[in-house]
């Protein structure tokens, strides 16, 4: 239940951040609202015993990509039916449905749909990693490497947007993986948090405020 509540709060924050675009307070929300969704997805990430790549991809395509396609087609129809656009623009936007990236004016009819293909790729990435690594220390190391790669990509190739938001998934899988590790080692983490409660709160606050300030400086 608390995961669904957290999702609901996240959805409200997304609405607030996108509708009140003139409010600089949104950069505090932008510091955590999308990572929150990937983290929550990691909390419920499960792999059946002996699950194959094919079975995992089919399951996630059914749960994530079919709704994505349906909402994208509906959004495109409403967009095309209510605006005067050229055939070239219409074909470009229709093609963006299958490219699945919301940057560079792609998915202009419903830009927020970028999240679903990116989530799909992130889950496949984490599934791949956990097939070959099992120890928490090794998995944490991989996530740290991916976070650095995602940052470097955003710095050196900011305009190159990849199929299904793969460049964003490099960062998204870090939060998804963190959620997965959190739920696997919940008792150990809970013990550490209780033992070092004040330092954890202080450090978390510093990270949160730093992220918000960085967002404001970079995009404000």
């Amino acid at each position: 239940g608390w995961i669904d509540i957290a999702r609901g709060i996240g959805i409200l924050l997304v609405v607030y951040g996108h509708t009140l675009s003139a409010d600089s307070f949104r950069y505090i929300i932008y510091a955590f609202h999308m990572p929150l969704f990937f983290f929550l997805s990691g909390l419920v990430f499960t792999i059946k015993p002996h699950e194959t790549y094919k079975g995992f991809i089919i399951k996630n395509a059914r749960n994530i990509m079919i709704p994505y396609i349906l909402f994208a087609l509906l959004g495109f129809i409403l967009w095309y039916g209510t605006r005067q656009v050229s055939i070239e623009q219409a074909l470009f936007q229709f093609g963006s449905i299958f490219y699945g990236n919301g940057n560079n004016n792609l998915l202009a009819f419903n830009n927020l749909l970028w999240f679903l293909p990116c989530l799909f790729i992130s889950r496949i990435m984490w599934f791949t990693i956990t097939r070959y690594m099992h120890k928490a220390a090794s998995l944490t190391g991989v996530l740290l490497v991916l976070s650095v790669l995602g940052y470097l990509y955003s710095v050196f190739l900011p305009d190159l947007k990849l199929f299904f938001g793969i460049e964003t998934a490099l960062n998204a899988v870090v939060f998804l993986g963190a959620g997965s590790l959190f739920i696997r080692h919940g008792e150990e983490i809970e013990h550490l948090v209780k033992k070092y409660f004040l330092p954890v709160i202080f450090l978390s606050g510093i990270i949160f405020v730093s992220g918000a300030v960085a967002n404001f400086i970079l995009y404000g």
Side-chain angles (χ1 to χ4, degrees):
W2 63 269
I3 294 177
D4 288 333
I5 292 171
R7 284 173 171 162
I9 293 171
I11 289 170
L12 293 175
L13 292 175
V14 168
V15 173
Y16 176 85
H18 281 277
T19 55
L20 300 178
S21 58
D23 185 358
S24 59
F25 183 73
R26 72 188 186 279
Y27 292 104
I28 297 177
I29 296 173
Y30 282 12
F32 72 91
H33 72 326
M34 293 316 301
L36 171 65
F37 284 112
F38 287 106
F39 182 82
L40 293 174
S41 180
L43 293 180
V44 296
F45 184 92
T46 56
I47 302 175
K48 295 180 181 178
H50 310 297
E51 187 164 21
T52 63
Y53 261 110
K54 180 180 179 181
F56 183 81
I57 290 173
I58 290 174
K59 177 180 69 176
N60 282 271
R62 182 177 63 248
N63 295 335
I64 298 174
M65 294 310 298
I66 290 179
Y68 163 75
I69 293 293
L70 291 176
F71 278 104
L73 289 174
L74 177 62
F76 174 80
I77 291 170
L78 292 173
W79 172 80
Y80 185 71
T82 56
R83 286 171 173 77
Q84 293 183 342
V85 297
S86 66
I87 296 297
E88 290 78 10
Q89 288 177 307
L91 290 175
F92 176 78
Q93 290 301 329
F94 183 77
S96 72
I97 295 175
F98 304 99
Y99 197 69
N101 195 310
N103 292 286
N104 296 341
N105 199 36
L106 300 170
L107 297 176
F109 49 87
N110 191 347
N111 185 261
L112 298 181
L113 287 173
W114 70 267
F115 173 76
L116 293 175
C118 184
L119 176 62
F120 179 68
I121 292 296
S122 299
R123 290 178 66 84
I124 292 175
M125 290 173 66
W126 185 239
F127 178 76
T128 303
I129 294 168
T130 53
R131 277 175 67 95
Y132 299 102
M133 294 183 179
H134 305 284
K135 294 183 178 180
S138 301
L139 292 169
T140 302
V142 171
L143 294 180
L144 290 173
V145 170
L146 289 173
S147 68
V148 172
L149 290 176
Y151 171 75
L152 293 176
Y153 189 99
S154 69
V155 170
F156 294 105
L157 297 169
D159 298 321
L160 181 58
K161 305 304 179 182
L162 303 177
F163 173 76
F164 276 26
I166 292 174
E167 78 286 351
T168 304
L170 288 173
N171 291 316
V173 72
V174 175
F175 298 102
L176 189 149
S180 179
L181 289 174
F182 181 87
I183 210 68
R184 287 188 194 182
H185 304 279
E187 292 183 2
E188 302 167 39
I189 295 172
E190 184 180 2
H191 173 74
L192 289 173
V193 169
K194 287 181 177 179
K195 186 176 180 181
Y196 302 103
F197 181 75
L198 290 178
V200 167
I201 292 297
F202 179 76
L203 182 60
S204 299
I206 292 295
I207 294 172
F208 173 72
V209 172
S210 298
V213 171
N215 268 340
F216 184 76
I217 292 173
L218 292 172
Y219 306 110

